Amino acid sequence: MSVASLRRAARESVSGLPREFWWLWTSTLVNRLGAFVATFLTLYLTVDRGYSASFAGLVVALHGLGGVISSLVAGVMTDRLGRRPTLMAAQASTAFSVALLGLMQHPAAIAAVALLVGMTSNASRPAVQAMMADIVRPEDRVRAFALNYWAINLGFAVSATAAGFVAEYSYLAGFLGEAALTLVCAVLVYVRLPESRPERISAEKAAAEPEIGLGTVLRDGRFMGVVGLSFLISLIFTQGSFGLPLAMGSGGFSAGDYGLVIAVNGVLIVLLQLPVTRFLETGDPQKLLVVSALLAGYGFGLTAFAGSVWSLGLTVCVWTLAEIINSPTQMGLVARLSPLHGRGRYQGMYTMSWAVASLVAPLMAGSMIDRWGAGWLWASVALLGTVAALGYWLLMRNLAGTEPGSVVSASAAAAAAAAAPVAPAPAPAVDTA
């Protein structure tokens, strides 16, 4: 491919998106440049503080529990208070709690503050995703989600490598660095991002569009199927930040080694996400999600056979390709299934699937590695990928080929139909047979 073709592809990937999207993109990039806790918490607890794998699993699980609690609350806040105030409050409180975590010494205090960090750091996700769905046209959403995911991993690729060496010098510096950059994000949101929450135009429309609650989301069987599959995929990918460093630490690898290995994930996404996105926009979502689930499961499964930094890096390449395919495709699907005035709650439920996985995955990995060894963990993850692939194939059979924006939430549509005026029933036909 020529340089001119690459430039044209780059222009097509970034053109046509609103200015507000790029400020949100910038906020995401700055936030991920400071990512430290989610990446190095396991090594901090086991290598630096000398705690057991089981205790580290408990602390990281509490971090995930905080995300479970905040996901639904933040989803409701996003719909009721607005995207902007929810995002600002989440980022400011995250900055405070991350700095506090770095100063804690007692095990019980570390566990309690980890729960708080999980609550605050996950609270911004429903607001970010709902705001992106608000400001970007339906036909551009897969591209926008891919660009945002690209920003996440551009920041991650830089921070993982740098923070690995910072951790070898001082873990406290890593905690304080993340707190400072998260606070910068809060300021950026306050200065540059306007509120994007859609407003109902009239009382008549409000009556025709009944209020969407969490019960509405739970009754939406198709959407909850997506949430369940998202949980399985999240359970797999979360092993990159818990199972992998735990296995590497017990295998004698250093924090710097882990930083280099996990940085492969971010670097590959930075290099490949935009070119692959052009294919994702026209690809069959069903096939894409099935393939991504298989690549994720068996990519992590190959870790059982890797015994060096370079071979571990190769396994990361496999499951990174799964991430590149899965993330924008699945987030685009979630946006299509979310009704206009219920996006916060729907995104909150989707975010909760990742938070629950962050709660379960550390307990799963810690107990498996302590009792049976890392090989059992990687075999289990490969099995999860197979189950998720089958689930995507079954769930997406009736959605394949639909255009963005054409899928309407089944339960929301039913609620709207129930609230609409009932027309007189036609006279029953007479059976003359």
Side-chain angles (χ1 to χ4, degrees):
M1 183 178 287
S2 66
V3 174
S5 298
L6 289 173
R7 288 178 178 173
R8 183 170 61 254
R11 283 197 302 270
E12 290 174 357
S13 296
V14 302
S15 63
L17 295 171
R19 181 179 60 183
E20 293 81 4
F21 166 79
W22 290 110
W23 283 116
L24 188 61
W25 183 91
T26 303
S27 173
T28 298
L29 176 61
V30 173
N31 186 57
R32 293 304 295 175
L33 283 171
F36 184 83
V37 171
T39 307
F40 287 94
L41 182 58
T42 301
L43 287 175
Y44 169 66
L45 294 170
T46 56
V47 176
D48 187 67
R49 301 302 300 271
Y51 296 121
S52 67
S54 297
F55 177 76
L58 173 63
V59 173
V60 178
L62 286 171
H63 182 276
L65 176 61
V68 173
I69 296 170
S70 68
S71 296
L72 297 181
V73 174
V76 174
M77 289 174 59
T78 297
D79 282 338
R80 289 190 175 180
L81 302 181
R83 285 63 159 138
R84 185 170 176 262
T86 303
L87 186 53
M88 287 172 52
Q91 290 178 335
S93 56
T94 298
F96 169 77
S97 59
V98 166
L100 185 63
L101 180 60
L103 299 173
M104 293 297 100
Q105 297 296 320
H106 193 278
I110 291 174
V113 178
L115 174 67
L116 179 62
V117 172
M119 293 177 63
T120 57
S121 61
N122 278 277
S124 63
R125 292 183 181 181
V128 170
Q129 293 164 4
M131 181 176 282
M132 201 167 297
D134 294 339
I135 63 181
V136 176
R137 295 178 302 176
E139 60 268 27
D140 292 330
R141 283 179 188 153
V142 170
R143 181 160 56 100
F145 283 125
L147 284 166
N148 193 65
Y149 197 63
W150 186 79
I152 290 172
N153 287 277
L154 176 60
F156 177 73
V158 175
S159 66
T161 305
F165 294 105
V166 170
E168 292 185 350
Y169 168 73
S170 169
Y171 276 91
L172 178 59
F175 285 109
L176 296 179
E178 177 172 350
L181 285 173
T182 306
L183 193 59
V184 169
C185 289
V187 174
L188 185 62
V189 169
Y190 177 76
V191 173
R192 291 294 182 180
L193 278 175
E195 178 56 59
S196 67
R197 180 179 58 173
E199 297 293 341
R200 291 183 171 90
I201 299 174
S202 65
E204 290 78 7
K205 282 202 170 186
E209 274 185 53
E211 187 69 28
I212 295 174
L214 290 176
T216 311
V217 186
L218 291 171
R219 290 189 297 271
D220 190 337
R222 183 165 53 190
F223 181 80
M224 291 306 297
V226 174
V227 170
L229 292 171
S230 173
F231 166 72
L232 294 182
I233 289 294
S234 306
L235 203 58
I236 297 172
F237 285 131
T238 304
Q239 300 305 333
S241 58
F242 187 80
L244 182 59
L246 192 59
M248 288 183 66
S250 62
F253 293 97
S254 68
D257 292 332
Y258 172 67
L260 290 174
V261 168
I262 202 64
V264 173
N265 172 255
V267 170
L268 278 181
I269 292 176
V270 169
L271 294 177
L272 299 179
Q273 186 72 72
L274 296 186
V276 172
T277 297
R278 293 168 58 81
F279 168 73
L280 298 181
E281 288 184 294
T282 57
D284 181 351
Q286 181 191 43
K287 293 178 181 177
L288 292 172
L289 290 171
V290 168
V291 169
S292 69
L294 292 173
L295 287 173
Y298 291 103
F300 275 101
L302 289 172
T303 308
F305 306 101
S308 63
V309 170
W310 72 267
S311 58
L312 287 165
L314 288 177
T315 67
V316 173
C317 292
V318 178
W319 57 261
T320 294
L321 182 58
E323 272 196 271
I324 290 172
I325 297 171
N326 182 272
S327 180
T329 306
Q330 184 163 258
M331 292 178 71
L333 175 62
V334 170
R336 288 160 55 188
L337 292 172
S338 305
L340 181 64
H341 295 289
R343 280 177 180 158
R345 290 172 173 83
Y346 271 70
Q347 294 290 353
M349 186 65 71
Y350 170 67
T351 300
M352 191 187 71
S353 67
W354 285 85
V356 173
S358 297
L359 168 64
V360 174
L363 299 175
M364 167 185 166
S367 60
M368 280 190 169
I369 290 176
D370 277 347
R371 295 180 182 180
W372 303 303
W376 281 93
L377 172 65
W378 305 128
S380 300
V381 169
L383 178 61
L384 286 175
T386 305
V387 173
L390 178 61
Y392 278 125
W393 180 76
L394 293 172
L395 182 71
M396 297 288 290
R397 283 182 300 174
N398 297 325
L399 294 179
T402 55
E403 294 298 324
S406 64
V407 180
V408 179
S409 164
S411 62
V422 179
V430 178
D431 188 355
T432 59

